[in-house]
């Protein structure tokens, strides 16, 4: 297992993270023991474990009917941008309607 150093922050390889999580899930060892062996904070292992349980391709990519796969996420971002544009356009039209209705009276 190799870990990389970049600037003052530690950047760990994907293999390093997966191995740390796999070793910490062994019933005979604790995450704190594994963290001490690897020279990292135990909270980091818990964070990685949580991330892999949520987003791992081996796990479910959907929760409560929402698909969290990459393709679905791109579509969601596109739709959110479209909603923001439509809201902005709607606000403009409301202001324009109010402006033009004042001139008639």
């Amino acid at each position: 297992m190799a870990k990389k150093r970049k600037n003052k922050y530690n950047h760990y390889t994907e293999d390093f993270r997966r191995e740390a999580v796999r070793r910490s899930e062994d019933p005979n060892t604790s995450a704190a023991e594994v963290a001490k062996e690897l020279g990292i904070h135990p909270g980091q292992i818990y964070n990685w474990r949580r991330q892999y349980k949520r987003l791992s391709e081996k796990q479910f990519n959907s929760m409560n009917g929402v698909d969290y796969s990459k393709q679905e996420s791109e579509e969601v971002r596109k739709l959110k941008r479209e909603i923001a544009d439509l809201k902005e356009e709607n606000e403009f039209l409301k202001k324009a309607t109010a402006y033009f209705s004042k001139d008639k009276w």
Side-chain angles (χ1 to χ4, degrees):
M1 292 191 312
K3 66 179 180 178
K4 296 181 183 178
R5 279 192 165 269
K6 184 178 180 183
N7 299 339
K8 64 179 182 177
Y9 301 104
N10 290 330
H11 295 275
Y12 302 100
T13 63
E14 191 70 21
D15 293 334
F16 182 86
R17 293 175 187 180
R18 287 188 189 277
E19 181 65 18
V21 170
R22 186 191 64 75
R23 288 173 60 183
S24 70
E25 289 177 344
D26 181 19
N28 298 328
T29 60
S30 69
E33 292 171 354
V34 173
K36 187 174 181 181
E37 289 174 16
L38 299 176
I40 59 177
H41 193 274
Q44 191 65 60
I45 291 180
Y46 293 116
N47 288 338
W48 292 338
R49 186 186 296 171
R50 187 181 71 244
Q51 289 170 358
Y52 287 125
K53 284 184 180 179
R54 279 191 197 160
L55 303 174
S56 175
E57 292 178 2
K58 295 178 183 175
Q59 299 288 330
F60 298 106
N61 283 331
S62 63
M63 288 175 42
N64 300 329
V66 178
D67 188 358
Y68 289 101
S69 63
K70 185 173 182 170
Q71 180 182 8
E72 194 72 23
S73 295
E74 289 173 4
E75 185 178 349
V76 168
R77 284 193 298 274
K78 181 183 138 235
L79 292 172
K80 284 184 179 181
R81 281 192 304 267
E82 188 175 335
I83 287 171
D85 291 342
L86 290 172
K87 283 182 178 180
E88 186 178 324
E89 185 178 329
N90 194 20
E91 287 299 316
F92 173 78
L93 291 173
K94 284 180 184 179
K95 291 176 183 178
T97 303
Y99 175 78
F100 288 117
S101 67
K102 287 181 183 177
D103 288 341
K104 290 182 180 180
W105 296 105

